[in-house]
Amino acid sequence: MLIAQLKAQVKTKLDARAALVKTAIDENRAMTAEEQKQYEDLGVEIKNLEATIAAAEEQEKLQNTPAGPVIFAQPKDPNEKKWKGFGEFMQAVANAGKGNGIDNRLLMGAATGNNTGIGADGGFLIEKEFRTDLLEAMREQSQIANRITMIPVGANSNGIKWADIEETSRADGSRHGGALAYWAAEAETVVASKIKLKKSEIELAKLMAFWYATDELLQDSTAMEALARLEFANAMSFKVDDALFGGSGVGLPLGMLKSNALITVAKESGQAADTILHENVQKMWNRLSVRSRANAVWYINQEIEPQLENMVLPVGTGGQLSPLAKEYLERGTLKNRPVIAIEQAEKLGDKGDILLCDPTQIIGIDKAGIQGDVSIHVKFLYDESCFRFIYRFNAAPRKNAAVASYKNSSFTTSPFVTLAERA
């Protein structure tokens, strides 16, 4: 049907060119400059259509031709690796798409569950080995996702539900959701306690990545394997970290900056725009939950690095280099916790340019690692194969509110602390 439509377009454009010539002859004149340009443009369009038709006819012929002989035999040892690498696998898929024979290793998955052979659209599932390798590379590239608490989701589930302790205060009667303990001498009668629980739920979201690989690029299997592993790992880990940092929670993870548990420390009185002060860092640390300090991380935009290096400790009417600045210059830490520059942090002066957090207080879920498949027909007219990767993942902060302290109900702490805008 597609080829017939293209041929119809060619005939229409040929008739249009003939009409231009006939008009000029009937009027006993040469074609005008505008008519000449129309004539030439139509010629270019006709050539492009004819080239597309020729390619489509060739591809149709290849698809209707019985597959050639199997190129590789099944390994004698079932434990032997089927492929030298991802690049070799991609080359085999490309050859199958051209009608050069189907590599037997592409069909071996029927016994192991790793592969299902050719799909309805002329595709192959990407080997589990390569998908696992990509997931590991993605986690290596991550600066946030590799620190959160992960819970795998079962085959028949699309998310998780759990009951968690509802704790908004550390005062007696609220701490640990209301669980109470007494020393025997404190009271003659011990009052029974009832623990408050909150229901939490996370459903899987879908992160997708597509890649069109040209036939020329596929010729170098080693380069293609390195490129695919690096670029897909970078692209997908960036999007996951971006969502964990500031995601809306709608169709993607709820990020720390959007959490109801986030504490925003106010700027200092008279503080200049786009600055970070010694007092800002002190007060942020002061508002971090004590139980989160052992796992705490500072995420910053690298724009603020000079601000951290030059923080001043006020002394009398003057000042001296802050001990926090000295620590950062010497060890790259603040309060003995790592400082990590990430692109996802907000620009200098905006809320979120520095975030102190405990990533383990984020619950993440995923399912079956990364799924991958490749189509050999999607863009056959352009000599390209389409690789698609899907990662089913979601996450949300475990707490949904800051917690009032044991001795002072007006003082709250949280696993997530940031600094207010300094405009």
Side-chain angles (χ1 to χ4, degrees):
M1 179 63 72
L2 174 62
I3 294 176
Q5 291 173 347
L6 293 175
K7 288 181 176 179
Q9 290 182 39
V10 170
K11 184 178 184 306
T12 299
K13 294 182 185 299
L14 285 170
D15 290 344
R17 286 216 317 175
L20 288 171
V21 175
K22 184 176 184 303
T23 298
I25 293 174
D26 289 345
E27 296 177 1
N28 195 27
R29 60 174 176 80
M31 286 192 292
T32 64
E34 182 179 352
E35 290 171 333
Q36 183 64 37
K37 185 177 186 307
Q38 292 177 8
Y39 185 90
E40 293 172 356
D41 289 344
L42 286 167
V44 172
E45 293 175 10
I46 291 168
K47 287 182 180 179
N48 290 338
L49 284 168
E50 289 175 339
T52 301
I53 291 169
E57 288 176 336
E58 180 182 0
Q59 189 63 30
E60 189 176 77
K61 180 180 178 181
L62 289 173
Q63 292 176 12
N64 294 329
T65 301
V70 172
I71 302 172
F72 299 93
Q74 180 171 334
K76 295 179 181 179
D77 181 0
N79 296 318
E80 180 184 342
K81 276 192 173 183
K82 290 193 294 182
W83 306 97
K84 295 178 182 178
F86 189 28
E88 185 185 33
F89 166 79
M90 290 190 290
Q91 284 184 331
V93 172
N95 284 330
K98 295 176 182 178
N100 295 335
I102 298 177
D103 189 318
N104 191 43
R105 292 172 294 179
L106 292 171
L107 306 176
M108 286 173 56
T112 64
N114 289 341
N115 209 321
T116 60
I118 303 176
D121 63 348
F124 294 89
L125 294 181
I126 293 174
E127 296 282 343
K128 181 178 180 180
E129 171 191 350
F130 304 135
R131 291 182 276 127
T132 301
D133 183 58
L134 179 62
L135 182 59
E136 290 175 353
M138 180 177 146
R139 288 172 176 164
E140 290 171 5
Q141 297 294 329
S142 170
Q143 294 291 355
I144 302 178
N146 61 352
R147 290 177 168 84
I148 70 174
T149 301
M150 287 296 301
I151 300 175
V153 174
N156 298 320
S157 177
N158 193 46
I160 60 170
K161 295 180 181 180
W162 77 96
D164 207 348
I165 293 173
E166 184 175 1
E167 183 183 68
T168 57
S169 172
R170 296 292 293 169
D172 289 343
S174 297
R175 189 170 54 255
H176 301 302
L180 292 172
Y182 298 87
W183 292 106
E186 281 186 335
E188 295 180 0
T189 303
V190 175
V191 179
S193 57
K194 182 178 180 180
I195 298 177
K196 294 181 180 180
L197 300 175
K198 63 181 177 69
K199 293 182 180 180
S200 300
E201 180 179 3
I202 304 177
E203 291 189 352
L204 290 165
K206 185 184 293 186
L207 177 66
M208 303 179 68
F210 294 89
W211 177 35
Y212 293 108
T214 65
D215 184 57
E216 290 78 11
L217 289 173
L218 284 168
Q219 298 306 310
D220 189 340
S221 63
T222 302
M224 284 310 306
E225 179 172 356
L227 183 62
R229 188 179 190 275
L230 175 64
E231 296 308 325
F232 270 109
N234 282 336
M236 298 183 81
S237 66
F238 183 94
K239 293 296 289 185
V240 169
D241 277 359
D242 190 44
L244 292 173
F245 189 83
S248 67
V250 180
L252 71 162
L254 176 63
M256 293 177 283
L257 276 185
K258 300 294 176 64
S259 169
N260 290 331
L262 178 71
I263 288 178
T264 302
V265 172
K267 68 177 182 178
E268 294 299 294
S269 177
Q271 181 172 349
D274 300 339
T275 57
I276 302 284
L277 303 180
H278 170 91
E279 293 85 352
N280 298 148
V281 176
Q282 271 190 321
K283 291 180 179 180
M284 288 180 67
W285 180 256
N286 182 240
R287 301 296 296 278
L288 183 73
S289 302
V290 171
R291 290 170 294 172
S292 288
R293 290 184 173 182
N295 300 313
V297 178
W298 299 85
Y299 289 117
I300 67 167
N301 187 311
Q302 70 183 74
E303 286 185 86
I304 80 168
E305 290 174 338
Q307 294 292 321
L308 299 179
E309 295 168 355
N310 294 295
M311 289 186 295
V312 173
L313 178 66
V315 178
T317 58
Q320 62 184 31
L321 188 65
S322 162
L324 293 173
K326 290 180 181 179
E327 177 190 349
Y328 179 69
L329 285 166
E330 294 171 0
R331 302 202 300 267
T333 62
L334 290 172
K335 295 291 187 178
N336 292 317
R337 300 310 306 158
V339 179
I340 301 175
I342 59 173
E343 293 181 83
Q344 293 85 353
E346 301 298 326
K347 67 181 178 67
L348 175 61
D350 286 358
K351 175 182 174 180
D353 61 349
I354 180 170
L355 175 70
L356 174 61
C357 66
D358 175 4
T360 66
Q361 291 302 303
I362 300 174
I363 300 295
I365 61 172
D366 65 3
K367 186 174 184 177
I370 293 178
Q371 304 169 38
D373 55 83
V374 53
S375 172
I376 57 180
H377 296 159
V378 172
K379 300 198 75 173
F380 68 87
L381 292 177
Y382 304 93
D383 283 332
E384 293 178 348
S385 296
C386 177
F387 293 84
R388 179 181 67 180
F389 296 91
I390 298 174
Y391 183 39
R392 299 195 66 196
F393 170 86
N394 208 344
R398 182 178 175 183
K399 290 189 175 296
N400 57 15
V403 178
S405 69
Y406 174 39
K407 298 293 186 179
N408 182 0
S409 61
S410 64
F411 181 78
T412 58
T413 61
S414 172
F416 315 114
V417 184
T418 191
L419 184 59
E421 180 182 3
R422 286 89 58 216

